[in-house]
Each structure stands twice: as C-alpha cells, then as structure tokens.
Amino acid sequence: MDRTDRAAPGGRRARKKAATRQALADTALRLFMERGYDQVGVREIAEVADVSVSTLFNYFPDGKEALVFDEDAGNEAALVNAVTDRPPGQTIPEALRAHFTAFVTSPHTRDPRFAELQQLVQQTPALREYARTMALRHENALARALADQTGRPHDDLLCAAYARFTLETLAFAGSRPDPVAAIDQACLLLDQGWTTTVAPHGHDPA
C-alpha cells in the first residue's frame, strides 16, 4: 500500500474500515426489519456481511444493540460540537436550535426507513433500554459542555436541566406534523422561559 495513502486521514484503509462498519450496520438493520430483532443473531449478521464474528465485535463491541445505533458516537460528538464550536456571536440556544433543525430536516431523518427504525426500537425492550442509556449519555455530555461554556461546575443543576429538556425537543418535534416549527417553539420556550413566552398572549403563566 502506498505510504501516503496509508497515512492520510481519509486514506484507503480508513475508507475500507468505514465501509465495513457501514455494511455491518446495514446488514443487521435489514435482517432485523425483515425478521425481528430477537430472531437474528450476531453470527448470522457476520455471515451475511461476509466477515468473522470477531470482526463484527471489533467494530461493535457492545453487540447487537450497537449495530442499530451505529451513529451514536458521531451524533454525540456533533451535539457537543454544536455548543463548543459555534460561530462567534451565536448563543448556545441558537446553536442548539440550528443543530436540531438540521437534524430533523436531514435526508437521513426524513427517509421513511428512519420511522421504521424508530418503531423497531419502541417495539424491542433491549433496544428501548439501549436507547435510554444512550440518551442519558448524550444528556450528560451536553450538560458538561454547557457547564464548561458558562463557567459552571459539571454537577450544575441548571445545565443538567437545560440539557435534558433541550434534548426532549427532538422527541417532541418527531411527533408533530411540522418538526421545524415544533423545534422553534420548544426552543423559544426554553430560551425565554414560560412566563415571558406565554404571558404576552394573555394566558395565565402560572
């Protein structure tokens, strides 16, 4: 192999590893959707993807559940980066609103198969539990980033609460006909607070 190609971050080896990882995830999801999560084992996934079981676990050490959530690490990093790498002058609420809007309007999220995946997760106890643990990990990562950006301690309750309620906007938006409008309104409420958002419209803010 050419030394330059091997050393480059996007070189042939990196591309091959990424392709193998994607093939494993795609194969697993297809089999899960066809026959059900509990009816498919890691050995079968490896055989259909034409790799060894040990290779599968090298890419997905957490096993079957991780194959469904293969973008977990990238999603968490993107969430944190939305806060830590936001453009000068952009507030944290603005950065998170932009990040969530980009997510719900992405081709991946708008693909009908994404809804089928969400349904599979909700119907499978092991996947629901993995999703809950994953969401908590993302929440904690976001809370730490918020604390670092505002000079607060990592156990700050305000940052923890904001991280939790902000991430809930994605689930809220996913249940609405217009996800972008749902994110706008949820983020407006979180940014300005209940009293300042609702009271001007003549409703009791209590």
Side-chain angles (χ1 to χ4, degrees):
M1 180 180 295
D2 181 85
R3 181 177 300 178
T4 302
D5 184 69
R6 184 173 63 245
R12 186 180 305 167
R13 179 177 297 178
R15 292 195 299 272
K16 184 176 180 180
K17 290 179 66 175
T20 300
R21 179 183 175 84
Q22 189 64 57
L24 283 166
D26 289 347
T27 298
L29 185 57
R30 176 171 58 81
L31 293 173
F32 294 154
M33 298 300 293
E34 288 176 353
R35 302 216 311 275
Y37 178 80
D38 293 327
Q39 281 65 53
V40 180
V42 293
R43 184 174 298 279
E44 181 180 1
I45 296 169
E47 289 177 354
V48 174
D50 196 25
V51 300
S52 66
V53 173
S54 60
T55 296
L56 184 151
F57 279 108
N58 283 339
Y59 283 92
F60 296 95
D62 292 335
K64 282 174 61 178
E65 292 86 355
L67 283 157
V68 175
F69 300 98
D70 62 300
E71 298 179 352
D72 175 20
N75 288 338
E76 181 178 314
L79 174 65
V80 171
N81 290 342
V83 172
T84 59
D85 298 344
R86 65 189 189 279
Q90 186 181 56
T91 67
I92 289 174
E94 289 170 346
L96 288 172
R97 181 187 299 191
H99 176 71
F100 293 147
T101 299
F103 179 81
V104 299
T105 57
S106 69
H108 171 73
T109 306
R110 296 171 70 90
D111 190 320
R113 289 174 296 180
F114 183 78
E116 295 174 0
L117 172 61
Q118 298 303 305
Q119 185 176 20
L120 175 68
V121 171
Q122 292 306 311
Q123 294 174 345
T124 310
L127 294 179
R128 286 203 310 269
E129 178 60 22
Y130 192 96
R132 187 195 67 80
T133 302
M134 180 183 68
L136 181 59
R137 187 169 62 251
H138 291 190
E139 178 187 313
N140 290 336
L142 177 58
R144 288 192 301 270
L146 293 172
D148 289 339
Q149 291 292 301
T150 57
R152 295 174 178 270
H154 279 181
D155 61 353
D156 181 72
L157 287 176
L158 181 63
C159 291
Y162 192 82
R164 170 164 297 188
F165 298 140
T166 300
L167 288 176
E168 285 293 333
T169 63
L170 284 176
F172 172 68
S175 67
R176 302 291 163 165
D178 187 343
V180 174
I183 286 176
D184 284 344
Q185 292 303 300
C187 289
L188 178 66
L189 180 61
L190 287 167
D191 187 16
Q192 297 186 4
W194 176 262
T195 301
T196 58
T197 303
V198 179
H201 296 277
H203 298 286
D204 183 358

